[in-house]
Every structure is written in C-alpha cells, then in structure tokens.
Amino acid sequence: MTMISKAGYFQQNGYAALDDEGMPKQIAELNIHGTKYGIRIDELKEALYGRNPARVERVFQNWQQYLGGIAGLARISRSGKALNIELVEGGRYTIALDSLVSALSRRGVFASVGEIPEPVTPWDLSGRRIAQGQQTIPVPAT
C-alpha cells in the first residue's frame, strides 16, 4: 500500500492577484513542490459546496502578483472529506477539508498538501520484472 507524502502547503494570506483582464481577485495560495499556484476564493467556495470545480492557476510576481493561466482543477472528494487537486502537467494532490477550512477562516495558519501516488498498473509490474532481470534475452551463438 502506498502512502500520501507531503508536497507543500495551502494558506489564505489575504493577497489579491490580477486576472487576465487586470482585475484584482482574492486568492488562496497553494505551494506544491516550490511552485506557487492560486485558487480564486469565490471559485474555491463553490468547489467546497460541490457545485463546480475551482481553477488552479499559476501565480507570477512582477510589480504585483498576477494569475498566469489554468494549471489544473480542484474539486471536493467523493467522500467529502478532502479537496483533490489535479494538475495539467501531471500530479494529483489532496488537502484535508477540516484543515483547509481552518486555514480559510484563519483559525489555522496553513494546511498541508499531500501528493496522491499514481496507481500501480499491471504494465508497471511487468516493466519492473524486465528491469530487475527476471526475463532473459537470448544471445546469438558465435
């Protein structure tokens, strides 16, 4: 069985970022493996109610923070106990809902982001056997 490993943090810092139209939007910061992302607060609230997924966007810093395009989606888990994040470039992450709500209400400072391991497929297992030398390649006779 594989475990969820820590990949970063989520925090509500109260900062705004400019969207593609130059309008300031309140965002919550999501840091995954050192890359900064933002989730618009209004979309996050909708996602927490299970209505629509929230956009996860890259955050860039120039003279001010600005949103640099969709990097993934965040939606409530089937169990309703976590917010799951799936990034376009690969990777699935999760945040426990109770710590997320605590960070959003500022009772807590931040919430941990965990990386969901990729499921093991039969293809992966057969590839491992070949890599471990359990299969031989015939050598031509000289």
Side-chain angles (χ1 to χ4, degrees), residues 4-103:
I4 293 177
S5 60
K6 187 171 185 217
Y9 62 88
F10 169 93
Q11 70 178 357
Q12 165 58 11
N13 54 18
Y15 295 141
L18 299 178
D19 66 4
D20 55 350
E21 296 175 356
M23 300 298 296
K25 300 292 180 184
Q26 291 295 319
I27 62 166
E29 181 183 331
L30 183 64
N31 190 303
I32 298 176
H33 297 302
T35 303
K36 191 173 182 180
Y37 299 96
I39 302 176
R40 299 173 193 221
I41 296 293
D42 55 343
E43 289 185 14
L44 180 57
K45 288 178 182 175
E46 289 287 319
L48 292 176
Y49 287 118
R51 295 186 182 124
N52 295 315
R55 292 178 286 182
V56 177
E57 301 177 73
R58 288 285 308 263
V59 175
F60 296 100
Q61 182 77 34
N62 195 349
W63 58 276
Q64 188 173 349
Q65 290 191 123
Y66 64 96
L67 300 171
I70 297 174
L73 292 174
R75 59 177 53 96
I76 200 79
S77 66
R78 278 187 236 146
S79 68
K81 295 181 180 180
L83 182 73
N84 291 339
I85 299 156
E86 190 165 349
L87 297 180
V88 173
E89 63 232 16
R92 298 176 329 150
Y93 305 91
T94 188
I95 306 169
L97 202 56
D98 56 350
S99 62
L100 175 80
V101 170
S102 179

